[in-house]
Amino acid sequence: MTKMNFGNEHAGKIRLEDVGKSDWREFKTQAQRALTAAVAEKFGFRGLVPLEEDFRELLKKQGLHLKFFVAGTEKIGGAAVLFDEKTRRCFVELFFLREEFQGRGLGVAAWKSLEDAFPRTRLWKLCTPYFEKRNIHFYVNKCGFRITEFVNARHRSADENCNSPAGEEGPWRDELLVFEKPTPRPGIA
């Protein structure tokens, strides 16, 4: 893996590439490396997050789009998005940057490239574990989301994408924050 000195100079130059079947293992490995660190730090978890069964279930979902974020020739992260053409809602299942590219302004540029790739979207939605302060800051203060729900033992979300599957609770899945971002676009009905 090449370590490049990316910073804000690349922030406007993030492009998306579709994740093909031959790229799936690389996408999954990058996502797990990026997302496991926070869970391991908070809970001492020694496995990989997302779990293998989570990835298998993700691939079955209708309207799934898998994208790599690319700066120059380097795949710096990715996203898994469910787009519903009828409601024009995008649910972000995964959004990640490789650890060595975090904290350099690339996340906002990656987010903007994702928004640009789905111009007909009326509502963006995602959920993240309650303890992920860095994610909360990013989504609320950098990307313009608002927190709409706190999913916990006493409250399940009406959106099943934001609930842990029955019997699969874990310390990072028990309490989630739900984020929404309406995106009215002029001229799009």
Side-chain angles (χ1 to χ4, degrees):
M1 165 177 24
T2 306
K3 260 198 173 178
M4 301 180 79
N5 186 22
F6 284 137
N8 288 333
E9 71 275 7
H10 290 280
K13 301 175 186 171
I14 304 295
R15 70 182 195 290
L16 299 180
E17 282 184 10
D18 289 334
V19 175
K21 287 182 181 182
S22 63
D23 302 318
W24 174 238
R25 185 179 304 273
E26 179 183 7
F27 179 86
K28 181 178 75 162
T29 300
Q30 281 191 18
Q32 287 176 321
R33 285 183 181 153
L35 300 172
T36 296
V39 175
E41 183 180 318
K42 176 75 176 173
F43 299 105
F45 183 73
R46 296 183 188 263
L48 293 172
V49 175
L51 304 172
E52 292 296 323
E53 55 266 23
D54 294 334
F55 275 109
R56 283 192 295 275
E57 289 303 311
L58 178 63
L59 287 176
K60 297 176 187 176
K61 293 190 175 187
Q62 187 71 25
L64 178 66
H65 298 267
L66 298 175
K67 304 288 184 184
F68 277 119
F69 299 126
V70 181
T73 59
E74 190 81 16
K75 293 174 183 168
I76 65 166
V81 175
L82 300 173
F83 181 65
D84 184 323
E85 186 67 45
K86 185 177 176 183
T87 63
R88 297 204 320 243
R89 185 187 97 153
C90 272
F91 185 84
V92 182
E93 288 275 349
L94 294 171
F95 182 94
F96 66 92
L97 288 184
R98 290 176 22 206
E99 197 168 8
E100 64 267 31
F101 297 108
Q102 295 175 9
R104 300 180 186 187
L106 297 170
V108 173
W111 176 256
K112 288 179 181 174
S113 70
L114 193 61
E115 279 190 340
D116 290 345
F118 295 91
R120 293 183 41 81
T121 300
R122 284 201 166 164
L123 179 71
W124 288 90
K125 192 168 186 174
L126 57 89
C127 53
T128 195
Y130 76 96
F131 65 87
E132 283 278 22
K133 291 178 183 176
R134 190 172 176 162
N135 287 0
I136 296 165
H137 165 73
F138 176 75
Y139 292 123
V140 172
N141 299 326
K142 299 289 186 179
C143 298
F145 279 83
R146 58 188 167 85
I147 298 170
T148 58
E149 277 185 283
F150 175 46
V151 178
N152 59 71
R154 295 177 185 220
H155 173 77
R156 290 189 54 84
S157 179
D159 187 331
E160 281 305 312
N161 289 313
C162 297
N163 293 317
S164 295
E168 290 191 20
E169 284 74 20
W172 64 91
R173 297 180 193 226
D174 292 342
E175 298 178 321
L176 301 170
L177 295 173
V178 179
F179 297 78
E180 291 185 354
K181 180 181 182 180
T183 53
R185 307 252 187 203
I188 297 179

